[in-house]
Amino acid sequence: MKVRIPLVCFLVLLPLNIPWSQIGVTWLGVVHFLACLSPQLGSVLYHLFMNHEGGEPVYHTLLKVDVCGICMINTLGMLPIVYSTLLCYPVIRTLALLLYILLSTHAIYCAVTARSSVRRLRSFAWQALFRFSFFLLRWVGVGGGSPTSLRHFVTMDMLAVLGGVINIARIPERFCPGLFDYWCNSHQIMHVLVVGSILYLHWGVLDDLLWINSYICPSD
């Protein structure tokens, strides 16, 4: 039940929080909504059917669904960032979007076929590097985007990485076995951090979408 609450909140409240009438590129808003929704949906399906009796094959199938949700937010969530960063360079922007989609396709394949949590986390490394390069462009003033969005995106990635590390390291239950079986275990902490990460993604993209609608690219 606890896992479903964020899904319902994102499903109902997120569209209401997007100022559709003020967004000039509507598909970016739609993509952003799907990005925020996908990890929650994958997680709900994963946890909802965890009481199955199908054995290891069913478990791995559910795990792949959960991983696909994470992959989708990494993929779809980055598209508005790429678009706004390269707003004034349409040709480069299109190529960058295509490159990231291809890169993400490979990352999804690696993630769903990974045989350990560490390898699964490594599958997202190239996406993270791609994202970092765009953050760097913004930081040095080459790329576009809202002046307030970069700090949201950096916080987003910090929370996501922290959640992944805590989940893999099994902190804090590895230090006190049995004490955190029901509350405050690493998996629950990871989920809380992921929700926080999605919120920062939302705030950053929202700033960018409004910036796109008001910004005029300089003429050469």
Side-chain angles (χ1 to χ4, degrees):
M1 180 64 184
K2 296 188 291 293
V3 181
R4 301 176 199 174
I5 294 175
L7 173 62
V8 174
C9 290
F10 280 113
L11 184 62
V12 176
L13 299 179
L14 193 65
L16 299 177
N17 193 245
I18 298 176
W20 298 101
S21 61
Q22 302 178 47
I23 296 177
V25 189
T26 307
W27 71 267
L28 291 178
V30 175
V31 164
H32 170 63
F33 170 65
L34 294 175
C36 293
L37 196 64
S38 58
Q40 304 302 326
L41 181 59
S43 181
V44 165
L45 292 174
Y46 172 75
H47 288 87
L48 185 62
F49 295 102
M50 277 305 291
N51 60 342
H52 66 86
E53 297 179 355
E56 189 175 349
V58 176
Y59 167 75
H60 284 298
T61 300
L62 292 172
L63 182 60
K64 288 179 181 179
V65 171
D66 193 19
V67 171
C68 282
I70 300 172
C71 292
M72 291 308 293
I73 191 172
N74 279 335
T75 302
L76 299 179
M78 183 62 187
L79 299 185
I81 299 175
V82 173
Y83 190 98
S84 55
T85 303
L86 300 175
L87 178 67
C88 299
Y89 309 95
V91 176
I92 300 176
R93 181 183 68 214
T94 302
L95 292 175
L97 288 170
L98 291 174
L99 176 61
Y100 189 73
I101 291 172
L102 290 174
L103 188 66
S104 297
T105 302
H106 176 69
I108 292 172
Y109 172 78
C110 292
V112 298
T113 57
R115 296 185 177 273
S116 69
S117 298
V118 175
R119 290 185 178 181
R120 196 170 297 116
L121 191 61
R122 287 176 182 172
S123 302
F124 306 120
W126 287 109
Q127 286 181 312
L129 288 174
F130 194 95
R131 211 160 43 243
F132 177 77
S133 67
F134 273 75
F135 295 164
L136 188 61
L137 285 176
R138 291 191 177 203
W139 184 66
V140 299
V142 176
S146 169
T148 60
S149 62
L150 182 57
R151 66 172 181 266
H152 292 314
F153 295 142
V154 172
T155 305
M156 166 197 75
D157 269 350
M158 290 175 62
L159 290 175
V161 170
L162 180 61
V165 170
I166 288 176
N167 191 45
I168 291 175
R170 297 291 184 262
I171 298 172
E173 61 266 21
R174 71 182 304 168
F175 301 115
C176 301
L179 184 61
F180 300 99
D181 287 350
Y182 296 103
W183 298 100
C184 299
N185 56 61
S186 60
H187 194 75
Q188 292 171 337
I189 294 173
M190 179 270 294
H191 274 293
V192 172
L193 291 174
V194 165
V195 170
S197 177
I198 296 173
L199 287 175
Y200 275 99
L201 169 66
H202 174 62
W203 293 329
V205 169
L206 209 59
D207 287 349
D208 274 351
L209 293 180
L210 294 174
W211 174 86
I212 289 173
N213 202 38
S214 61
Y215 185 76
I216 300 176
C217 292
S219 56
D220 296 330

